[in-house]
CSV table of all heavy atoms in Angstrom, one decimal:
chain,number,residue,atom,x,y,z
A,117,ARG,N,-18.6,11.5,-2.1
A,117,ARG,CA,-17.4,12.0,-2.8
A,117,ARG,C,-16.8,10.9,-3.6
A,117,ARG,O,-16.4,11.1,-4.8
A,117,ARG,CB,-16.4,12.5,-1.7
A,117,ARG,CG,-15.0,12.9,-2.3
A,117,ARG,CD,-15.1,14.2,-3.1
A,117,ARG,NE,-13.8,14.6,-3.6
A,117,ARG,CZ,-13.6,15.0,-4.9
A,117,ARG,NH1,-14.6,15.1,-5.7
A,117,ARG,NH2,-12.4,15.3,-5.3
A,118,LEU,N,-16.7,9.6,-3.1
A,118,LEU,CA,-16.1,8.5,-3.8
A,118,LEU,C,-17.0,8.2,-5.0
A,118,LEU,O,-16.4,8.0,-6.1
A,118,LEU,CB,-16.0,7.3,-2.9
A,118,LEU,CG,-15.1,7.4,-1.7
A,118,LEU,CD1,-15.0,6.1,-1.0
A,118,LEU,CD2,-13.7,7.9,-2.1
A,121,LEU,N,-16.2,10.7,-7.7
A,121,LEU,CA,-14.9,10.4,-8.4
A,121,LEU,C,-15.0,9.2,-9.3
A,121,LEU,O,-14.4,9.1,-10.4
A,121,LEU,CB,-13.8,10.1,-7.3
A,121,LEU,CG,-13.3,11.3,-6.5
A,121,LEU,CD1,-12.4,10.9,-5.4
A,121,LEU,CD2,-12.6,12.3,-7.5
A,138,PHE,N,-5.1,2.2,-18.0
A,138,PHE,CA,-5.9,2.2,-16.8
A,138,PHE,C,-5.1,2.7,-15.6
A,138,PHE,O,-5.6,3.4,-14.8
A,138,PHE,CB,-6.5,0.9,-16.5
A,138,PHE,CG,-7.6,1.0,-15.5
A,138,PHE,CD1,-8.9,1.4,-15.8
A,138,PHE,CD2,-7.4,0.7,-14.1
A,138,PHE,CE1,-9.9,1.5,-14.9
A,138,PHE,CE2,-8.4,0.8,-13.2
A,138,PHE,CZ,-9.7,1.2,-13.6
A,139,TYR,N,-3.8,2.5,-15.6
A,139,TYR,CA,-3.0,2.9,-14.5
A,139,TYR,C,-2.9,4.5,-14.6
A,139,TYR,O,-3.2,5.2,-13.7
A,139,TYR,CB,-1.6,2.3,-14.5
A,139,TYR,CG,-0.8,2.8,-13.4
A,139,TYR,CD1,-1.1,2.6,-12.0
A,139,TYR,CD2,0.3,3.6,-13.6
A,139,TYR,CE1,-0.4,3.1,-11.0
A,139,TYR,CE2,1.1,4.2,-12.6
A,139,TYR,CZ,0.7,3.9,-11.3
A,139,TYR,OH,1.4,4.5,-10.2
A,141,ASP,N,-4.3,6.8,-16.6
A,141,ASP,CA,-5.5,7.6,-16.9
A,141,ASP,C,-6.5,7.6,-15.7
A,141,ASP,O,-7.2,8.5,-15.5
A,141,ASP,CB,-6.2,7.1,-18.2
A,141,ASP,CG,-5.4,7.4,-19.4
A,141,ASP,OD1,-4.6,8.4,-19.4
A,141,ASP,OD2,-5.4,6.6,-20.3
A,142,ILE,N,-6.5,6.5,-15.0
A,142,ILE,CA,-7.6,6.4,-14.0
A,142,ILE,C,-7.0,6.1,-12.6
A,142,ILE,O,-7.2,6.9,-11.6
A,142,ILE,CB,-8.5,5.2,-14.3
A,142,ILE,CG1,-9.1,5.4,-15.7
A,142,ILE,CG2,-9.6,5.1,-13.2
A,142,ILE,CD1,-10.1,6.6,-15.8
A,143,ALA,N,-6.2,5.0,-12.4
A,143,ALA,CA,-5.8,4.6,-11.0
A,143,ALA,C,-4.9,5.5,-10.3
A,143,ALA,O,-5.0,5.7,-9.1
A,143,ALA,CB,-5.2,3.2,-11.1
A,144,LEU,N,-4.0,6.2,-11.0
A,144,LEU,CA,-3.0,7.0,-10.4
A,144,LEU,C,-3.7,8.2,-9.7
A,144,LEU,O,-3.3,8.6,-8.6
A,144,LEU,CB,-2.0,7.5,-11.5
A,144,LEU,CG,-0.8,8.2,-11.0
A,144,LEU,CD1,0.0,7.3,-10.1
A,144,LEU,CD2,0.1,8.6,-12.2
A,145,ALA,N,-4.7,8.8,-10.4
A,145,ALA,CA,-5.2,10.1,-9.8
A,145,ALA,C,-6.3,9.9,-8.7
A,145,ALA,O,-6.4,10.6,-7.8
A,145,ALA,CB,-5.9,10.9,-11.0
A,146,TYR,N,-7.0,8.8,-8.9
A,146,TYR,CA,-8.2,8.6,-8.0
A,146,TYR,C,-7.9,8.6,-6.5
A,146,TYR,O,-8.4,9.4,-5.7
A,146,TYR,CB,-8.9,7.3,-8.4
A,146,TYR,CG,-10.2,7.0,-7.8
A,146,TYR,CD1,-11.4,6.9,-8.5
A,146,TYR,CD2,-10.3,6.8,-6.4
A,146,TYR,CE1,-12.6,6.6,-7.9
A,146,TYR,CE2,-11.5,6.5,-5.8
A,146,TYR,CZ,-12.7,6.4,-6.5
A,146,TYR,OH,-13.9,6.1,-6.0
A,147,PRO,N,-6.9,7.7,-6.0
A,147,PRO,CA,-6.7,7.7,-4.6
A,147,PRO,C,-6.1,9.0,-4.1
A,147,PRO,O,-6.3,9.4,-2.9
A,147,PRO,CB,-5.7,6.6,-4.4
A,147,PRO,CG,-5.7,5.8,-5.7
A,147,PRO,CD,-6.1,6.7,-6.7
A,148,LEU,N,-5.3,9.7,-4.9
A,148,LEU,CA,-4.7,11.0,-4.5
A,148,LEU,C,-5.8,12.0,-4.3
A,148,LEU,O,-5.8,12.8,-3.3
A,148,LEU,CB,-3.7,11.4,-5.5
A,148,LEU,CG,-2.8,12.5,-5.0
A,148,LEU,CD1,-2.1,12.2,-3.6
A,148,LEU,CD2,-1.7,12.9,-6.0
A,149,GLN,N,-6.8,12.0,-5.1
A,149,GLN,CA,-7.9,12.9,-5.0
A,149,GLN,C,-8.7,12.6,-3.6
A,149,GLN,O,-9.1,13.5,-2.9
A,149,GLN,CB,-8.9,12.9,-6.2
A,149,GLN,CG,-8.3,13.7,-7.3
A,149,GLN,CD,-9.0,13.4,-8.6
A,149,GLN,OE1,-9.4,12.3,-8.9
A,149,GLN,NE2,-9.2,14.5,-9.4
A,150,VAL,N,-8.8,11.3,-3.3
A,150,VAL,CA,-9.4,11.0,-2.0
A,150,VAL,C,-8.6,11.5,-0.9
A,150,VAL,O,-9.2,12.1,0.1
A,150,VAL,CB,-9.6,9.4,-1.9
A,150,VAL,CG1,-10.1,9.0,-0.6
A,150,VAL,CG2,-10.5,8.9,-3.0
A,151,ILE,N,-7.3,11.4,-1.0
A,151,ILE,CA,-6.5,11.9,0.1
A,151,ILE,C,-6.6,13.4,0.3
A,151,ILE,O,-6.7,13.9,1.5
A,151,ILE,CB,-5.0,11.4,-0.1
A,151,ILE,CG1,-4.9,9.9,0.2
A,151,ILE,CG2,-4.0,12.2,0.8
A,151,ILE,CD1,-3.7,9.2,-0.4
A,152,LEU,N,-6.6,14.1,-0.8
A,152,LEU,CA,-6.8,15.5,-0.7
A,152,LEU,C,-8.1,15.8,0.0
A,152,LEU,O,-8.2,16.7,0.9
A,152,LEU,CB,-6.8,16.2,-2.1
A,152,LEU,CG,-5.5,16.2,-2.8
A,152,LEU,CD1,-5.7,16.8,-4.2
A,152,LEU,CD2,-4.5,17.0,-2.1
A,153,SER,N,-9.2,15.1,-0.3
A,153,SER,CA,-10.5,15.3,0.3
A,153,SER,C,-10.4,15.0,1.8
A,153,SER,O,-10.9,15.8,2.6
A,153,SER,CB,-11.5,14.4,-0.3
A,153,SER,OG,-11.7,14.6,-1.6
A,154,ILE,N,-9.8,13.9,2.2
A,154,ILE,CA,-9.8,13.6,3.7
A,154,ILE,C,-8.9,14.6,4.5
A,154,ILE,O,-9.2,14.9,5.6
A,154,ILE,CB,-9.5,12.1,4.0
A,154,ILE,CG1,-8.1,11.7,3.6
A,154,ILE,CG2,-10.5,11.2,3.3
A,154,ILE,CD1,-7.7,10.3,4.0
A,155,LEU,N,-7.8,15.0,3.8
A,155,LEU,CA,-7.0,16.0,4.6
A,155,LEU,C,-7.6,17.4,4.5
A,155,LEU,O,-7.2,18.2,5.3
A,155,LEU,CB,-5.6,16.0,4.0
A,155,LEU,CG,-4.6,15.0,4.4
A,155,LEU,CD1,-3.3,15.1,3.6
A,155,LEU,CD2,-4.2,15.1,5.9
A,162,TYR,N,-3.0,19.2,-5.9
A,162,TYR,CA,-2.7,17.9,-6.4
A,162,TYR,C,-1.3,17.7,-6.9
A,162,TYR,O,-0.6,16.8,-6.5
A,162,TYR,CB,-3.8,17.7,-7.5
A,162,TYR,CG,-3.7,16.4,-8.2
A,162,TYR,CD1,-4.4,15.3,-7.8
A,162,TYR,CD2,-2.8,16.2,-9.3
A,162,TYR,CE1,-4.3,14.1,-8.4
A,162,TYR,CE2,-2.7,15.0,-9.9
A,162,TYR,CZ,-3.5,13.9,-9.5
A,162,TYR,OH,-3.4,12.7,-10.1
A,165,MET,N,1.2,17.3,-4.1
A,165,MET,CA,1.1,16.0,-3.4
A,165,MET,C,1.8,14.9,-4.2
A,165,MET,O,2.4,14.0,-3.7
A,165,MET,CB,-0.3,15.7,-3.1
A,165,MET,CG,-0.9,16.5,-2.0
A,165,MET,SD,0.0,16.1,-0.5
A,165,MET,CE,0.0,17.7,0.2
A,166,ILE,N,1.6,14.9,-5.6
A,166,ILE,CA,2.3,13.9,-6.4
A,166,ILE,C,3.8,14.0,-6.2
A,166,ILE,O,4.5,13.0,-6.1
A,166,ILE,CB,2.0,14.2,-7.9
A,166,ILE,CG1,0.5,13.9,-8.3
A,166,ILE,CG2,2.9,13.5,-8.8
A,166,ILE,CD1,0.3,12.6,-9.0
A,169,THR,N,4.8,12.4,-2.9
A,169,THR,CA,4.9,10.9,-2.9
A,169,THR,C,6.1,10.5,-3.7
A,169,THR,O,6.8,9.6,-3.3
A,169,THR,CB,3.6,10.3,-3.6
A,169,THR,OG1,2.5,11.0,-3.0
A,169,THR,CG2,3.5,8.9,-3.4
A,242,ILE,N,-0.1,9.9,6.0
A,242,ILE,CA,-1.5,9.9,5.4
A,242,ILE,C,-1.4,10.3,3.9
A,242,ILE,O,-2.1,9.7,3.1
A,242,ILE,CB,-2.4,11.0,6.2
A,242,ILE,CG1,-2.5,10.6,7.7
A,242,ILE,CG2,-3.8,11.1,5.5
A,242,ILE,CD1,-3.2,9.4,8.0
A,243,ALA,N,-0.6,11.3,3.6
A,243,ALA,CA,-0.5,11.7,2.2
A,243,ALA,C,0.0,10.7,1.3
A,243,ALA,O,-0.2,10.7,0.1
A,243,ALA,CB,0.3,13.0,2.1
A,244,THR,N,0.9,9.8,1.8
A,244,THR,CA,1.6,8.9,0.9
A,244,THR,C,1.1,7.4,1.0
A,244,THR,O,1.1,6.7,0.0
A,244,THR,CB,3.1,8.9,1.1
A,244,THR,OG1,3.3,8.6,2.5
A,244,THR,CG2,3.7,10.3,0.8
A,245,ALA,N,0.7,7.0,2.2
A,245,ALA,CA,0.5,5.5,2.4
A,245,ALA,C,-0.7,5.0,1.6
A,245,ALA,O,-0.8,3.9,1.3
A,245,ALA,CB,0.3,5.2,3.9
A,246,GLY,N,-1.7,6.0,1.4
A,246,GLY,CA,-2.9,5.6,0.7
A,246,GLY,C,-2.9,5.8,-0.8
A,246,GLY,O,-3.9,5.6,-1.4
A,247,HIS,N,-1.8,6.2,-1.3
A,247,HIS,CA,-1.8,6.7,-2.7
A,247,HIS,C,-1.3,5.6,-3.7
A,247,HIS,O,-2.1,4.9,-4.3
A,247,HIS,CB,-0.9,7.9,-2.8
A,247,HIS,CG,-0.7,8.4,-4.2
A,247,HIS,ND1,0.3,9.2,-4.6
A,247,HIS,CD2,-1.5,8.3,-5.3
A,247,HIS,CE1,0.2,9.5,-5.9
A,247,HIS,NE2,-0.9,8.9,-6.3
A,248,ASP,N,0.0,5.3,-3.7
A,248,ASP,CA,0.5,4.2,-4.6
A,248,ASP,C,-0.1,2.9,-4.3
A,248,ASP,O,-0.3,2.1,-5.2
A,248,ASP,CB,2.0,4.1,-4.4
A,248,ASP,CG,2.8,5.2,-5.1
A,248,ASP,OD1,2.1,6.0,-5.8
A,248,ASP,OD2,4.0,5.2,-5.0
A,249,THR,N,-0.4,2.6,-3.0
A,249,THR,CA,-1.0,1.3,-2.6
A,249,THR,C,-2.3,1.1,-3.3
A,249,THR,O,-2.5,0.1,-4.0
A,249,THR,CB,-1.2,1.3,-1.1
A,249,THR,OG1,-1.8,2.5,-0.8
A,249,THR,CG2,0.1,1.2,-0.4
A,250,THR,N,-3.2,2.1,-3.1
A,250,THR,CA,-4.6,1.9,-3.6
A,250,THR,C,-4.6,1.9,-5.2
A,250,THR,O,-5.3,1.1,-5.8
A,250,THR,CB,-5.5,3.0,-3.1
A,250,THR,OG1,-5.2,3.1,-1.7
A,250,THR,CG2,-7.0,2.7,-3.3
A,251,ALA,N,-3.7,2.8,-5.7
A,251,ALA,CA,-3.6,2.8,-7.2
A,251,ALA,C,-3.2,1.5,-7.7
A,251,ALA,O,-3.7,1.0,-8.8
A,251,ALA,CB,-2.6,3.9,-7.6
A,252,ALA,N,-2.2,0.9,-7.0
A,252,ALA,CA,-1.7,-0.4,-7.5
A,252,ALA,C,-2.8,-1.5,-7.4
A,252,ALA,O,-2.9,-2.4,-8.3
A,252,ALA,CB,-0.5,-0.8,-6.6
A,253,ALA,N,-3.6,-1.5,-6.4
A,253,ALA,CA,-4.7,-2.5,-6.2
A,253,ALA,C,-5.7,-2.3,-7.3
A,253,ALA,O,-6.2,-3.2,-7.9
A,253,ALA,CB,-5.3,-2.4,-4.8
A,254,MET,N,-6.0,-1.0,-7.6
A,254,MET,CA,-7.0,-0.7,-8.7
A,254,MET,C,-6.5,-1.2,-10.1
A,254,MET,O,-7.2,-1.9,-10.8
A,254,MET,CB,-7.3,0.8,-8.8
A,254,MET,CG,-8.1,1.3,-7.7
A,254,MET,SD,-8.3,3.1,-7.8
A,254,MET,CE,-9.5,3.4,-6.5
A,255,ALA,N,-5.3,-0.8,-10.4
A,255,ALA,CA,-4.7,-1.2,-11.7
A,255,ALA,C,-4.6,-2.7,-11.8
A,255,ALA,O,-4.9,-3.3,-12.8
A,255,ALA,CB,-3.4,-0.5,-11.9
A,361,LEU,N,-11.0,2.4,4.1
A,361,LEU,CA,-11.1,3.4,3.0
A,361,LEU,C,-10.7,2.8,1.7
A,361,LEU,O,-11.4,3.0,0.7
A,361,LEU,CB,-10.1,4.6,3.4
A,361,LEU,CG,-10.0,5.7,2.4
A,361,LEU,CD1,-11.4,6.3,2.1
A,361,LEU,CD2,-9.1,6.8,2.8
A,362,ALA,N,-9.6,2.1,1.7
A,362,ALA,CA,-9.1,1.5,0.4
A,362,ALA,C,-10.2,0.6,-0.2
A,362,ALA,O,-10.5,0.6,-1.4
A,362,ALA,CB,-7.8,0.7,0.6
A,365,GLU,N,-13.0,2.6,-1.6
A,365,GLU,CA,-12.6,3.2,-2.9
A,365,GLU,C,-12.8,2.2,-4.1
A,365,GLU,O,-13.3,2.5,-5.1
A,365,GLU,CB,-11.2,3.7,-2.8
A,365,GLU,CG,-11.0,4.9,-2.0
A,365,GLU,CD,-9.5,5.4,-2.0
A,365,GLU,OE1,-9.0,5.6,-3.1
A,365,GLU,OE2,-9.0,5.6,-0.9
A,366,LEU,N,-12.2,1.0,-3.8
A,366,LEU,CA,-12.3,0.0,-4.9
A,366,LEU,C,-13.7,-0.5,-5.2
A,366,LEU,O,-14.1,-0.6,-6.4
A,366,LEU,CB,-11.4,-1.2,-4.6
A,366,LEU,CG,-10.0,-1.1,-5.1
A,366,LEU,CD1,-9.1,-0.4,-4.2
A,366,LEU,CD2,-9.4,-2.5,-5.4
A,369,LEU,N,-15.4,2.3,-7.3
A,369,LEU,CA,-14.9,2.4,-8.7
A,369,LEU,C,-15.4,1.2,-9.5
A,369,LEU,O,-16.0,1.3,-10.5
A,369,LEU,CB,-13.4,2.5,-8.7
A,369,LEU,CG,-12.8,2.5,-10.1
A,369,LEU,CD1,-13.2,3.7,-10.9
A,369,LEU,CD2,-11.3,2.4,-10.1
Side-chain angles (χ1 to χ4, degrees):
R117 174 70 180 137
L118 297 184
L121 287 173
F138 195 78
Y139 178 69
D141 294 324
I142 304 294
L144 190 59
Y146 188 119
L148 194 52
Q149 279 166 321
V150 175
I151 285 161
L152 291 176
S153 298
I154 66 175
L155 276 173
Y162 180 93
M165 285 297 142
I166 288 256
T169 312
I242 300 290
T244 55
H247 176 204
D248 282 358
T249 47
T250 313
M254 286 174 172
L361 175 59
E365 286 182 51
L366 266 85
L369 178 63

